[in-house]
Amino acid sequence: MESERDYALKPLEQVWNDGGAYALLGPSGCGKTTLLNIVSGLLRPAQGTVLVDGKDVTGASPQARNIAQVFQFPVVYDTMTVFENLAFPLRNRGVSRDQATARVEQIASLLELRSELGHKASGLPADVKQRISLGRGLVRSDVAAILLDEPLTVIDPHVKWLLRRKLVQIHAELRVTLVYVTHDQVEALTLADEVIVMNEGRILQRGTPRELFERPAHTFVGYFIGSPGMNLLPCTIDGHFAVVGGRRLALGPVCDRARARGGTTTLGIRPEFLRLHPRRPEQAASALEAVVIGVENCGGHKIASARFGEQTVAVKLSEEDSIEHGAACWLEFPLPWTMLYADDRAVA
Amino acid sequence: MKRALFLTLYLVGSLVPTYWLICMSLRTNDQILGAFSILPRDLTVANYVTIFTDSDWSDGYLNSLAYVAINTVLSVAVALPAAYAFSRYRFMGDKHLFFWLLTNRMSPPAVFLLPFFQLYSSIGLFDTPWAVALSHTLFTVPLAVWILEGFMSGVPREIDEPAYIDGFRFPRFFFRIFLPLIRSGVAVTAFFCFMFSWVELLLARTLTAVDAKPIAATMTRTVSAAGMDWGVLAAAGVLTIVPGAIVIGFARNYIAKGFALGRV
Amino acid sequence: MAKPNDNRAWLMMLPVLAVVGFSAVIPLMTVVNYSVQDILGPDQRIFVGREWYHKVLTDPELHGAFIRQVIFSASVLAIEVPLGLVIALSMPLHRIWSSLSLVILALPLLIPWNVIGTIWQVFARRDIGLGGVAINALGIPYNYTSNAFDAWITVVVMDVWHWTPLIALLCYAGLRAIPEAYYQAARIDGASSWGTFRHIQLPKLKGVLTIALLLRFMDSFMIYTEPFVLTGGGPGNATTFLSQHLTRLAVGQFDLGPAAAFSIVYFLVVLLFSYAFYLVMTAGDRR
């Protein structure tokens, strides 16, 4: 008897548009690599189909699918030179030597590998090897999509951003579909037009980085994206009020919809949107009193921790704002940015 | 498909002499030397009875297992840091040292009989499993270092760095991340240390007398004035295979598992 | 990434040096000692310098044994290494079959060497042995006790049966250690199975093949028990290899001096060949 637990991926559907840049974002083990491998053909799904331009390719092998994949750690053919590495996919497909050379040089220029073409591929630094891996995918003129599985994991941090920038540049120039798997939200948010957040085999939300930031559809999305993540406070509904930490916040009609949905309710607001006032603000209905219990200096900004009842929240402050540890304050929950979640899913 | 056929043919062919050994162990000497038959007629377990009723055999078994176990554990434990050093660092004299290790296997053990005998007698380890285990390290340790170094070098160095950055201290990195990646190498090394030590009879016999007498000694008793006791020797041979088969049965999972690059 | 230079790595070497050095240095010194003395009795020794070396190196019996040894090692290596590699490549992927194959494969390695000689001694006999009878039944005249060529074939086949599993196991472990991503990348790049073998498997197996080759060379060059039990060196001295010659010197004639000298020479020969092999196999790494 099979239960949902036996499946790495729960039932899902995803459409990839040609030329788009997608990020599959989620924690380790959420199924993003599994999904990627199904798209590339390295894995065959137990159930379901993969369609390309309406054609069923579920049973097709990777080389028949016009995709290229870059893996977590660099895969190069050690005995060959960089040039031979890049030419390998072309030679296997019977492309003539002249054509292959031309194409290899073109891609090598794009990836800034021209100076390395004559060197043996082994012994080169990791980021060069990853560019070679990427290049092997790009040389094929019929390649429809490049799939990248956490390709920057073993790259030095100060070289990472160079490679990221190169990816963005390539995408802009070649307009090839990119699917980028990562657990790093910074990578996802900078590289992708559309970010797909996954957890435990499910797609929780898909949208632009801005949508995910401003309107997380799931508490996990709120928590996972942002640094620090969204403040998530358990609450109860009383009329048009949310009761949190013993205080009442007037949130309006959304409370009715939350109560209609049923289940456990959670209040969410991002530290960036929560407002800290030293005195009682005018819009007192959606504010409450709290005590500042800590202020952390994070370089360009500050994070203050405030406590009310038994709840602690983080508030983002600018560098100039000063508030004392232990001071009393008022926290305002602006209505447009305050989200209610019933059973972890957002209430519209 | 062709490969499967080839492999099957080889494995079946490989079993034939072993089958013959088992046959010999189930017949008397007269039957072995007398007439030929593919399947043994008149099966007899007399040879095995001879072995099992002789307490020297079971003692010998345990003694042999003792020094083999000591040797395997010692060899692998000592070889791991050395192999890591050879694989990851350059240091003064490293290439020469690496090759020197192997030179210890370049003389027939017979050459070492007399010196080892004198050595271990003088330090009081004679007739203990330690003498045999230590003398065997002469050829198991270089083997272990060479094999492990080969497997360690196959792990991309790029994997060491992020682990450090993630805050792993070295012992934890080594045992939790690095070692599992070379599982098959460690398993095959341990098996070879076991194997070479287990089948080595000359040193094992020379460096022991009564207390730690291994199966080697009792096996040579099969040659007497009356001629060779083929049946008993064959039975002893069959029984010698058993621990080895258990070890490989245990190690096969690790050998086959190979490189499991989990989420780094 | 180039290897960092770090002499502290010597600390990691200490356990190995302690263990191996202890076992190796003292006996070596003893042997060298014996090789330059004439031991007439327990306390009567005369320093004779290079005399034993001279005697040993000009012995025609030794030359014969040496040539036979070289032919034997060459034949055995030429068969075992490719065969072991092909077996490793043919191992099944399915868990149960591969387990079974591994155990059957490893069996010959676990038999004590004198028993191996004994098995083949009976097995190859044309009157009472399964192998001998079968071959003669096919119409091929085969008798290893009287025919030198047949004896050679038998000794070589015995060694191949005995030691090919070592190479196969090493290669198999080496193959399993190749990360799956390499095979996946090769599939995506459209490589044929020959291409995958040539560009991924063979390069990754180089380390394993080096140790396998060196190991088998050394062990086959020093082989003693199995051929001795099987043929006793015969017929005549057709299958007398180097180590048997050495043993005859030391044990038979009880001449420790020449035997020790021969041991040193033997050692140096093995060393030289091995070093040559080693240099060739690692030539690529030094560029």
Side-chain angles (χ1 to χ4, degrees):
Chain A
M1 259 260 282
E2 285 173 352
S3 72
E4 246 197 10
R5 261 202 312 275
D6 298 323
Y7 286 86
L9 289 177
K10 316 292 186 273
L12 57 83
E13 224 183 85
Q14 176 64 26
V15 176
W16 317 88
N17 292 318
D18 186 31
Y22 298 88
L24 280 175
L25 178 66
S28 292
C30 70
K32 47 196 199 295
T33 299
T34 311
L35 183 58
L36 196 78
N37 285 340
I38 290 178
V39 174
S40 67
L42 291 171
L43 263 185
R44 207 191 155 127
Q47 284 166 25
T49 53
V50 181
L51 303 165
V52 173
D53 278 344
K55 214 173 53 164
D56 188 342
V57 299
T58 320
S61 66
Q63 50 259 52
R65 289 196 199 193
N66 303 335
I67 54 95
Q69 191 159 342
V70 179
F71 298 90
Q72 196 172 358
F73 69 95
V75 172
V76 292
Y77 301 103
D78 287 322
T79 50
M80 301 196 238
T81 62
V82 175
F83 180 90
E84 288 162 354
N85 260 274
L86 293 173
F88 191 60
L90 295 175
R91 306 293 290 139
N92 284 334
R93 284 167 171 83
V95 173
S96 77
R97 181 152 284 262
D98 296 324
Q99 272 185 301
T101 310
R103 182 77 180 160
V104 166
E105 306 219 327
Q106 180 190 359
I107 296 297
S109 295
L110 183 62
L111 289 167
E112 292 171 34
L113 285 172
R114 295 216 67 177
S115 53
E116 308 281 1
L117 278 179
H119 295 160
K120 263 242 157 93
S122 65
L124 291 172
D127 66 293
V128 177
K129 285 188 181 176
Q130 282 295 47
R131 271 186 275 152
I132 299 175
S133 293
L134 187 58
R136 281 206 315 273
L138 294 172
V139 281
R140 294 156 47 197
S141 42
D142 64 337
V143 99
I146 311 254
L147 312 175
L148 303 108
D149 190 354
E150 308 207 44
L152 302 184
T153 311
V154 295
I155 310 291
D156 279 338
H158 61 271
V159 180
K160 266 192 210 198
W161 80 272
L162 277 171
L163 272 178
R164 278 211 296 270
R165 208 182 51 167
K166 181 61 61 182
L167 269 175
V168 172
Q169 178 194 349
I170 289 176
H171 181 245
E173 263 189 53
L174 296 180
R175 282 275 114 206
V176 62
T177 314
L178 268 185
V179 180
Y180 192 96
V181 165
T182 179
H183 61 264
D184 182 332
Q185 50 168 318
V186 173
E187 278 179 10
L189 298 174
T190 49
L191 280 169
D193 304 327
E194 178 171 315
V195 178
I196 301 158
V197 179
M198 291 183 70
N199 191 31
E200 291 178 355
R202 269 180 241 277
I203 293 183
L204 297 178
Q205 185 174 1
R206 49 173 83 81
T208 63
R210 185 161 166 182
E211 286 165 18
L212 263 68
F213 188 78
E214 293 178 356
R215 289 248 154 278
H218 194 282
T219 49
F220 181 80
V221 179
Y223 149 77
F224 196 73
I225 295 190
S227 178
M230 188 183 238
N231 292 303
L232 293 167
L233 311 163
C235 67
T236 53
I237 305 292
D238 179 17
H240 279 192
F241 290 86
V243 182
V244 57
R247 321 295 168 88
R248 291 160 69 91
L249 285 173
L251 294 182
V254 65
C255 297
D256 292 329
R257 293 195 288 275
R259 196 164 19 136
R261 187 86 74 79
T264 48
T265 38
T266 315
L267 184 90
I269 185 159
R270 289 204 177 276
E272 288 84 354
F273 299 135
L274 192 57
R275 300 253 274 277
L276 190 85
H277 299 279
R279 277 175 295 280
R280 194 172 192 273
E282 275 159 36
Q283 292 287 356
S286 56
L288 47 82
E289 273 187 270
V291 175
V292 174
I293 59 171
V295 179
E296 211 183 300
N297 204 324
C298 300
H301 59 271
K302 293 182 184 166
I303 304 282
S305 305
R307 191 178 176 78
F308 58 93
E310 278 166 17
Q311 304 293 338
T312 311
V313 292
V315 188
K316 196 166 181 181
L317 304 171
S318 75
E319 223 175 343
E320 295 83 43
D321 287 342
S322 65
I323 188 93
E324 297 261 309
H325 178 110
C329 65
W330 281 81
L331 294 170
E332 183 189 344
F333 291 69
L335 284 180
W337 305 118
T338 309
M339 310 261 321
L340 266 184
Y341 296 91
D343 273 341
D344 293 330
R345 278 172 302 131
V347 176
Chain B
M1 231 20 251
K2 271 192 308 198
R3 287 190 188 178
L5 183 65
F6 166 76
L7 185 69
T8 314
L9 279 176
Y10 177 83
L11 288 178
V12 168
S14 172
L15 277 175
V16 171
T18 313
Y19 161 77
W20 194 246
L21 176 71
I22 300 176
C23 281
M24 287 205 294
S25 72
L26 293 170
R27 302 153 88 181
T28 65
N29 286 329
D30 302 324
Q31 286 176 346
I32 294 175
L33 296 173
F36 167 77
S37 57
I38 296 186
L39 295 170
R41 286 187 299 235
D42 308 325
L43 287 176
T44 167
V45 291
N47 296 317
Y48 288 100
V49 169
T50 313
I51 293 180
F52 287 134
T53 52
D54 185 348
S55 68
D56 270 352
W57 279 100
S58 52
D59 287 343
Y61 232 63
L62 290 173
N63 289 331
S64 289
L65 282 174
Y67 68 71
V68 170
I70 297 175
N71 177 287
T72 306
V73 169
L74 188 62
S75 298
V76 174
V78 153
L80 279 173
Y84 188 79
F86 281 123
S87 164
R88 291 303 195 236
Y89 299 107
R90 272 200 334 249
F91 51 94
M92 202 168 54
D94 56 356
K95 292 234 179 324
H96 299 101
L97 192 63
F98 197 55
F99 193 75
W100 167 78
L101 273 178
L102 207 60
T103 61
N104 293 301
R105 279 185 117 265
M106 289 181 189
S107 285
V111 169
F112 295 102
L113 275 184
L114 192 54
F116 273 171
F117 183 79
Q118 292 171 333
L119 173 67
Y120 288 108
S121 302
S122 64
I123 58 175
L125 279 180
F126 180 76
D127 205 17
T128 66
W130 291 96
V132 186
L134 280 174
S135 66
H136 282 178
T137 58
L138 187 65
F139 45 87
T140 53
V141 166
L143 183 66
V145 172
W146 272 65
I147 296 181
L148 286 172
E149 192 276 340
F151 278 87
M152 287 185 183
S153 295
V155 175
R157 209 162 292 114
E158 286 94 20
I159 292 187
D160 298 11
E161 300 280 311
Y164 279 128
I165 292 173
D166 279 349
F168 279 90
R169 295 207 47 242
F170 187 75
R172 191 153 165 236
F173 155 73
F174 191 75
F175 288 105
R176 297 287 294 279
I177 297 187
F178 194 70
L179 228 44
L181 292 176
I182 52 168
R183 258 187 291 206
S184 56
V186 176
V188 93
T189 304
F191 175 69
F192 285 155
C193 288
F194 170 87
M195 184 261 286
F196 275 110
S197 185
W198 181 250
V199 299
E200 202 288 326
L201 300 178
L202 205 54
L203 282 171
R205 194 182 48 187
T206 312
L207 295 175
T208 58
V210 178
D211 292 336
K213 203 156 52 161
I215 48 171
T218 32
M219 257 209 245
T220 49
R221 276 199 307 183
T222 54
V223 182
S224 65
M228 181 126 86
D229 199 343
W230 303 82
V232 175
L233 185 67
V238 171
L239 289 176
T240 316
I241 300 182
V242 172
I246 296 178
V247 170
I248 189 105
F250 178 70
R252 63 177 157 77
N253 263 334
Y254 293 93
I255 296 182
K257 261 185 192 153
F259 197 94
L261 181 63
R263 290 283 116 191
V264 173
Chain C
M1 273 160 92
K3 285 202 230 181
N5 219 333
D6 191 349
N7 281 337
R8 283 176 312 163
W10 271 92
L11 287 174
M12 290 187 170
M13 298 300 308
L14 284 181
V16 156
L17 289 174
V19 168
V20 176
F22 172 74
S23 301
V25 172
I26 297 170
L28 185 64
M29 291 182 343
T30 316
V31 171
V32 170
N33 199 15
Y34 284 159
S35 71
V36 291
Q37 298 183 352
D38 191 356
I39 299 169
L40 303 169
D43 289 307
Q44 296 171 289
R45 301 164 183 216
I46 313 172
F47 186 80
V48 292
R50 292 194 313 235
E51 184 179 325
W52 296 138
Y53 288 96
H54 188 254
K55 177 176 170 184
V56 154
L57 287 172
T58 53
D59 179 5
E61 292 261 325
L62 177 102
H63 297 159
F66 182 77
I67 294 178
R68 274 176 246 124
Q69 177 70 70
V70 169
I71 299 177
F72 174 72
S73 288
S75 326
V76 155
L77 279 179
I79 302 177
E80 287 175 9
V81 174
L83 184 59
L85 184 56
V86 172
I87 293 175
L89 289 168
S90 313
M91 289 289 279
L93 297 167
H94 189 56
R95 176 130 166 239
I96 301 183
W97 287 121
S98 78
S99 294
L100 187 65
S101 304
L102 275 178
V103 174
I104 297 179
L105 186 65
L107 284 180
L109 289 171
L110 298 164
I111 305 176
W113 301 349
N114 59 342
V115 179
I116 297 221
T118 313
I119 296 176
W120 282 85
Q121 191 181 13
V122 179
F123 182 74
R125 275 178 60 159
R126 67 182 193 148
D127 50 348
I128 53 169
L130 181 56
V133 168
I135 295 180
N136 281 301
L138 286 174
I140 309 171
Y142 166 79
N143 186 346
Y144 77 89
T145 44
S146 57
N147 182 316
F149 183 70
D150 292 343
W152 263 87
I153 299 279
T154 316
V155 171
V156 169
V157 170
M158 175 181 69
D159 194 272
V160 168
W161 173 80
H162 186 191
W163 288 108
T164 305
L166 178 93
I167 305 195
L169 277 174
L170 267 177
C171 288
Y172 180 66
L175 281 175
R176 302 303 296 156
I178 300 178
E180 183 65 24
Y182 280 90
Y183 292 109
Q184 291 172 335
R187 277 170 75 189
I188 291 175
D189 285 341
S192 63
S193 51
W194 167 251
T196 308
F197 173 72
R198 198 177 138 212
H199 297 294
I200 295 180
Q201 289 173 314
L202 203 55
K204 294 267 172 219
L205 282 180
K206 208 176 81 149
V208 156
L209 282 173
T210 306
I211 178 76
L213 196 78
L214 280 175
L215 198 61
R216 282 310 306 144
F217 166 72
M218 287 173 354
D219 284 353
S220 73
F221 214 77
M222 299 189 300
I223 197 171
Y224 176 74
T225 317
E226 300 111 290
F228 181 66
V229 172
L230 175 62
T231 60
N237 65 354
T239 54
T240 304
F241 303 126
L242 271 182
S243 59
Q244 195 186 336
H245 185 75
L246 164 65
T247 316
R248 253 192 222 151
L249 265 185
V251 177
Q253 294 151 32
F254 207 72
D255 236 343
L256 279 186
F262 182 23
S263 304
I264 302 278
V265 171
Y266 202 160
F267 171 76
L268 287 174
V269 170
V270 176
L271 179 71
L272 227 70
F273 274 111
S274 303
Y275 196 59
F277 269 127
Y278 177 60
L279 285 179
V280 166
M281 297 287 290
T282 56
D285 298 344
R286 272 191 309 281
R287 245 182 294 131

